[in-house]
Amino acid sequence: MRARAAGARLGLAVVVLWGAVTVGFAALQLMDGGTLDLILGTSSQATPEVRRQIIADYGLDRSVPEQYATYLWHVLHGDLGRSYQLRVPVSEAIGDQLPATLALTSCALALAVVVAVVVALLTAHRAPWLRGGFAATETVALSVPQFWFGTLLLIVFSFTLRLFPAAGGLALPAVALAVTPAGMLAQVLRKGLEDALDEPFVVTARARGLGDGAVRLRHALRHALLPAVTLTGWLIGTTLGGAVVVEQVFSRPGIGRLTLTAVTNKDMPVVMGVVLVAALVYVTCSLAVDVLYRLIDPRLRTEAAA
Amino acid sequence: MTALPPPSRRPRVRAGLWLGAAVLAALVLVALVPSLLAPHSPTEADPLRTLLPPGAHHPLGTDQNGRDVLSRMVHGARPSLLSGLGASGLALLGGTALGLLAARGGRVADQVVTRGLDVFMAIPGLLLALLVIAVAGPGTLNVVLAVAVLTMPVYARIVRAQILQISRSGYVEGAVTLGVRPAAIVWRHVLPNALGPVLVLATLGVGSAIGAGSTLSFLGLGPRPPAPEWGAMLADSRGYYAVAWWTAVFPGVAITGSVLAITVVGRHLQRRVEGRRVP
């Protein structure tokens, strides 16, 4: 039973990834101007021999289903094709830039989780002014565009107070990127905590003489974590996407510059590669969320074993 | 033992809601008649008055080309609001069509659409928008299209769930028993009832669409200069952070204020609709 459920999840993950590859391939077919012109770029004075060579190299003379099969086959072997502009394998171009982006994304998410947990623990079911004040702050946090918040941080902390470097630092970009996930997580966590604090088991725990802090930390938080973990799985992908913009604001190297250059130059293999990597991250995270669920909620373990 | 139900009372109309409604009304007003509030031309450059700080003649200062920041901001309201409405409307239309297809089109259609939506949910929104722009090219209309594509899966899922729920309800079963044609049932009974919550969500979606659109404009993928657009204004302000903070601050206030106002008013509508459905 359990193995079947796990198999179904894995199957769904594979279907999603295959779908993402297909979306990328379809996008390439939708391009106007054709792949050949994109590869040749502005140097359209290419001789017929060069054109023939490129057509043969990229397999453009074959039928669309054939090209699709070849593309799928290559992706399966980790080959995302060659960048039209950079003239290097896409996996290499992405591999060079990914560590910087992953560092920024993980810092931002860690910051967001810590802030959200602390805020939710401190404000759930508290005095209206405190709870309302933080709830309003979260709504504002969700309305502020990350790139503009980053700009404000730059103006205040780099250019006016001169506390942080205007380029190269990790702190300010991480804060700018953390605003949105922190706001979302805090909202979900507080809701979960407040629901949990209304449950009978909390009354029992209090009757046993547990203090408020212990009730919140040891009993209510575990319940509130379930929806928050699901949200975090989704947020990882979204934050990775947000990093593209924040990197631009802070002139950081990373996937952002690579992707934007590729988008403006219609360097489709790179755009598709980035999309695929993001989808892979998302799928991995949702599988990890399933595992985490079982760790957090013992009821799921017994149900699966029964 | 269960928790006591909260005391029933009329929801208080809070100060935040009034503020949000006022901002929204102001936004619509300046979008309709920008000349009412804009003291200068939004595009006319003046090389002698570049990067002037806020003052009597230019309340919010001037930018690097000597254009009045307030006037550009005011004229930027219409494109932002229109693109937000357009993207949200387009996403609503597409999402409703997909949701309807999934819910009423048989098992194969349901599987294909639901798995397709899974794929679109797996790609981070901004990257999906960038993929659309890579294919369609930059520009105002393509930004609207990209933002619509990135928000559509949510609408499709909710429409599907709503239709499935309503299709099981007593009055639809009654209509089936009476021999009403399936198309008429969907059109006259299912859709009007399924769309309520989705319409409210679309209202909220206008706000996030404005935010997403301005982000794409900031990345230089939106309208061509010198069109006054909030995201593009913020992109222009890069490089002047140290000397002219006003070019980088006020357009962002406009974006945040608009998104916030729409969110606050939309959430209020959402609560009222949900309150009516769950007595």
Side-chain angles (χ1 to χ4, degrees):
Chain A
M1 188 63 207
R2 203 169 164 184
R4 253 181 69 187
R9 295 247 179 250
L10 269 177
L12 188 60
V14 170
V15 168
V16 165
L17 284 178
W18 169 66
V21 175
T22 310
V23 166
F25 184 79
L28 191 58
Q29 297 301 313
L30 281 171
M31 302 288 298
D32 49 57
T35 317
L36 183 62
D37 291 341
L38 292 176
I39 299 168
L40 288 172
T42 44
S43 60
S44 48
Q45 301 299 315
T47 58
E49 289 80 44
V50 172
R51 284 176 173 269
R52 263 199 299 279
Q53 185 61 44
I54 290 175
I55 288 175
D57 279 356
Y58 285 82
L60 298 175
D61 48 348
R62 281 173 292 172
S63 67
V64 172
E66 249 182 300
Q67 286 186 43
Y68 176 61
T70 325
Y71 182 66
L72 211 56
W73 183 251
H74 285 170
V75 170
L76 264 179
H77 291 79
D79 176 7
L80 297 170
R82 284 179 81 82
S83 159
Y84 298 158
Q85 299 284 324
L86 307 168
R87 315 275 170 187
V88 294
V90 171
S91 46
E92 197 178 290
I94 293 179
D96 284 348
Q97 302 296 326
L98 200 57
T101 304
L102 285 183
L104 174 61
T105 309
S106 41
C107 276
L109 275 170
L111 185 66
V113 168
V114 170
V115 169
V117 168
V118 170
V119 165
L121 279 174
L122 289 179
T123 60
H125 270 337
R126 295 281 192 224
W129 62 268
L130 181 71
R131 191 190 173 283
F134 273 94
T137 312
E138 286 150 21
T139 311
V140 175
L142 292 182
S143 302
V144 175
Q146 282 167 327
F147 73 89
W148 182 60
F149 191 67
T151 306
L152 287 186
L153 290 177
L154 265 182
I155 291 176
V156 174
F157 292 103
S158 294
F159 288 105
T160 310
L161 301 177
R162 297 186 183 279
L163 291 174
F164 291 94
L170 187 60
L172 291 186
V175 171
L177 191 55
V179 183
T180 314
M184 278 191 192
L185 272 175
Q187 282 183 342
V188 169
L189 271 173
R190 185 185 312 99
K191 171 90 172 55
L193 267 179
E194 292 187 339
D195 287 349
L197 286 171
D198 288 337
E199 293 276 333
F201 71 82
V202 167
V203 180
T204 316
R206 288 196 204 281
R208 282 196 288 133
L210 252 69
D212 189 53
V215 166
R216 280 166 190 258
L217 264 177
R218 302 220 314 252
H219 292 270
L221 187 60
R222 190 184 270 253
H223 283 252
L225 275 183
L226 286 176
V229 164
T230 314
L231 180 64
T232 311
W234 178 78
L235 276 177
I236 293 174
T238 315
T239 311
L240 200 63
V244 168
V245 188
V246 171
E247 281 173 358
Q248 285 304 105
V249 175
F250 291 91
S251 314
R252 273 178 65 84
I255 293 290
R257 193 179 299 163
L258 181 72
T259 313
L260 284 171
T261 321
V263 167
T264 30
N265 292 324
K266 293 190 180 270
D267 192 350
M268 288 312 284
V270 174
V271 181
M272 276 145 64
V274 172
V275 165
L276 262 183
V277 168
L280 185 67
V281 169
Y282 173 87
V283 164
T284 317
C285 291
S286 29
L287 288 175
V289 163
D290 282 343
V291 177
L292 263 180
Y293 246 72
R294 278 161 206 287
L295 289 178
I296 296 172
D297 193 344
R299 288 172 303 184
L300 293 174
R301 271 175 272 167
T302 43
E303 264 167 36
Chain B
M1 185 197 131
T2 51
L4 287 172
S8 61
R9 56 164 187 222
R10 285 170 56 85
R12 282 187 303 137
V13 178
R14 290 159 306 140
L17 178 63
W18 285 114
L19 194 63
V23 171
L24 196 56
L27 186 68
V28 172
L29 185 68
V30 297
L32 288 175
V33 252
S35 49
L36 209 63
L37 246 157
H40 302 276
S41 153
T43 48
E44 200 181 312
D46 184 348
L48 296 176
R49 300 181 148 270
T50 58
L51 299 175
L52 288 181
H57 195 58
H58 297 285
L60 301 183
T62 62
D63 68 4
Q64 74 284 359
N65 290 328
R67 296 172 296 196
D68 184 56
V69 171
L70 175 62
S71 304
R72 284 179 73 69
M73 248 172 79
V74 164
H75 281 271
R78 187 184 292 173
S80 289
L81 207 58
L82 279 182
S83 71
L85 282 170
S88 204
L90 212 57
L92 181 67
L93 264 180
T96 307
L98 278 178
L100 190 63
L101 181 67
R104 306 283 303 199
R107 272 183 58 191
V108 176
D110 191 19
Q111 277 294 317
V112 171
V113 171
T114 316
R115 291 299 151 258
L117 292 178
D118 281 342
V119 173
F120 277 92
M121 298 286 265
I123 304 172
L126 188 72
L127 289 182
L128 192 58
L130 287 178
L131 183 66
V132 172
I133 289 185
V135 173
T140 314
L141 281 180
N142 290 341
V143 163
V144 172
L145 183 71
V147 175
V149 168
L150 106 99
T151 45
M152 196 170 59
V154 180
Y155 296 101
R157 281 183 175 216
I158 294 174
V159 169
R160 175 179 172 275
Q162 284 281 323
I163 290 180
L164 285 179
Q165 191 196 343
I166 288 169
S167 298
R168 284 195 294 267
S169 68
Y171 60 86
V172 171
E173 278 176 15
V176 174
T177 319
L178 284 173
V180 182
R181 282 180 303 115
I185 290 179
V186 168
W187 197 245
R188 304 234 328 253
H189 300 287
V190 177
L191 264 188
N193 288 298
L195 283 183
V198 195
L199 276 174
V200 176
L201 199 72
T203 318
L204 281 165
V206 175
S208 34
I210 289 179
S214 72
T215 303
L216 291 173
S217 297
F218 172 76
L219 295 175
L221 304 169
R224 299 279 93 200
E229 205 279 342
W230 296 335
M233 288 173 75
L234 289 171
D236 284 345
S237 76
R238 298 191 65 192
Y240 306 102
Y241 293 161
V243 288
W245 56 268
W246 52 92
T247 57
V249 169
F250 295 121
V253 173
I255 301 172
T256 311
S258 312
V259 178
L260 200 55
I262 293 170
T263 307
V264 170
V265 174
R267 282 227 189 118
H268 177 72
L269 288 177
Q270 199 173 28
R271 269 196 294 271
R272 290 195 49 166
V273 168
E274 277 171 5
R276 203 183 58 206
R277 286 196 310 140
V278 188

